[in-house]
Amino acid sequence: MANVSRTKKPIKIRYNFGIVLLGVILIFGLVFYRYMKNTTLEEVLSEDREIYVPSFASLLGNDDEDSEGNNSVAEDTETESEESAKDEIINPVPECEAVSSDYLDSCVFIGDSITYGLSSYGLVSSSSVYASVSMSIAKVETEEIETQYGTMTVIEALKESEPENIYVMLGTNGAAWLSVDEMYDYFTAFMKKLRNACSDSEIYIISVPPATSDKETSVEAPILNSDLDSFNELLLEYANTNSLHYIDINSYLKDGGSSLPSSYAENDGVHLKYSTYELFIDYILTHVAE
């Protein structure tokens, strides 16, 4: 019998489509189970809940890494919102509903002879007024004043009292012999120390009040309202740049004119009458920052 040579046929591997499909369904089911295990139906259907789209890493089990990433983004957003809110200061401070006069007990007023008048007329407690008749914008850092804590500088007194609100009005004593730039340099140097000493206080810069027209033309130590206006513009810019509050008492006391009405001033054309101080306090109480 002759040998017959036979060629072997290749083995064919047959795929069972049903088994493959079953495998795919099982894998999908496992992934879906892990997702639903961490997300309840109530959370998914809640109208108040933001829709959360899980990352591929979370579906595979790396939930901690994904969660930390989301938390980091949320924290950064919250911090930016807080800083933005802090910087949203409107200047000059707009009018508001009048607060109680008890508000003055939380305040300290810093300044020269005009500020000193607040306590000498009894409108503000002397313990809340850090000023003197001889104080000037050039001496506010070094001159010692009488306080409830003893004789000390304004900055030293502020460190002792730690007031909630601080009002600064400086410039009248100095405007007759200092340039606008010189006054601004003295002012900003003092404010830097004040802010470092009282970082938690709300700080208000009060514009320098106007002088009468007679004071502008007086032979002895004239004060020009144009200089005061230029200085006040710098103070407003400084307040905006440093997120401080600015009180525009200057415009208010001009009463629509270009200078301080003579009926508001003492004979020297600079210092204020008692009735004008009452207007001053009313303005403070109706211009408190929110």
Side-chain angles (χ1 to χ4, degrees):
M1 182 177 220
N3 291 332
V4 179
S5 177
R6 297 182 179 179
T7 303
K8 294 184 179 180
K9 295 181 179 180
I11 300 174
K12 294 183 180 180
I13 299 176
R14 297 182 178 180
Y15 293 94
N16 190 318
F17 181 79
I19 295 176
V20 174
L21 179 61
L22 179 61
V24 172
I25 293 174
L26 288 175
I27 293 174
F28 180 82
L30 178 61
V31 173
F32 184 76
Y33 168 76
R34 288 194 57 82
Y35 170 65
M36 293 304 296
K37 181 180 179 181
N38 295 312
T39 308
T40 65
L41 182 61
E42 291 180 353
E43 289 176 323
V44 173
L45 297 179
S46 174
E47 293 181 355
D48 296 331
R49 182 178 182 270
E50 294 183 358
I51 298 176
Y52 167 65
V53 179
S55 66
F56 183 71
S58 68
L59 293 178
L60 294 180
N62 298 329
D63 301 288
D64 293 340
E65 181 181 351
D66 188 66
S67 177
E68 289 175 0
N70 288 333
N71 289 338
S72 177
V73 172
E75 290 173 0
D76 291 343
T77 302
E78 183 177 354
T79 300
E80 291 175 359
S81 298
E82 291 175 354
E83 292 177 353
S84 176
K86 184 178 179 181
D87 292 338
E88 289 179 359
I89 289 181
I90 301 175
N91 280 323
V93 176
E95 185 175 2
C96 66
E97 184 176 351
V99 300
S100 169
S101 59
D102 293 340
Y103 169 78
L104 299 175
D105 296 333
S106 68
C107 304
V108 161
F109 292 85
I110 298 170
D112 48 36
S113 55
I114 294 182
T115 302
Y116 186 76
L118 292 171
S119 59
S120 62
Y121 277 124
L123 295 169
V124 177
S125 171
S126 58
S127 62
S128 298
V129 177
Y130 296 172
S132 70
V133 174
S134 61
M135 181 72 73
S136 73
I137 195 170
K139 299 190 297 182
V140 66
E141 286 191 55
T142 57
E143 182 173 326
E144 293 187 334
I145 57 174
E146 295 296 328
T147 73
Q148 58 181 320
Y149 310 104
T151 303
M152 59 184 64
T153 65
V154 171
I155 296 298
E156 290 171 339
L158 289 172
K159 290 179 180 179
E160 291 287 341
S161 58
E162 297 181 346
E164 182 178 346
N165 303 290
I166 300 174
Y167 288 81
V168 183
M169 187 172 68
L170 290 163
T172 299
N173 286 2
W177 65 86
L178 293 173
S179 69
V180 171
D181 289 339
E182 288 172 329
M183 289 197 298
Y184 184 71
D185 288 342
Y186 280 121
F187 183 88
T188 53
F190 171 70
M191 289 299 297
K192 182 178 180 180
K193 293 184 177 181
L194 185 153
R195 294 173 66 204
N196 288 335
C198 304
S199 58
D200 294 330
S201 301
E202 291 289 335
I203 300 175
Y204 292 78
I205 296 174
I206 304 178
S207 60
V208 180
T212 63
S213 57
D214 288 341
K215 181 62 177 176
E216 289 189 282
T217 58
S218 65
V219 176
E220 184 179 352
I223 295 178
L224 301 179
N225 280 303
S226 58
D227 288 343
L228 296 181
D229 291 343
S230 296
F231 180 59
N232 286 329
E233 288 176 4
L234 291 176
L235 296 186
L236 174 58
E237 181 180 351
Y238 181 83
N240 288 332
T241 302
N242 292 277
S243 298
L244 304 177
H245 306 295
Y246 178 83
I247 301 292
D248 189 11
I249 197 71
N250 180 284
S251 298
Y252 175 65
L253 292 182
K254 284 180 179 178
D255 196 22
S258 59
S259 60
L260 182 69
S262 57
S263 60
Y264 284 8
E266 298 289 356
N267 292 333
D268 62 5
V270 174
H271 291 90
L272 309 178
K273 291 183 176 180
Y274 176 78
S275 57
T276 309
Y277 274 109
E278 289 183 314
L279 295 175
F280 184 104
I281 291 298
D282 287 343
Y283 193 86
I284 294 294
L285 296 179
T286 55
H287 291 77
V288 177
E290 296 182 357

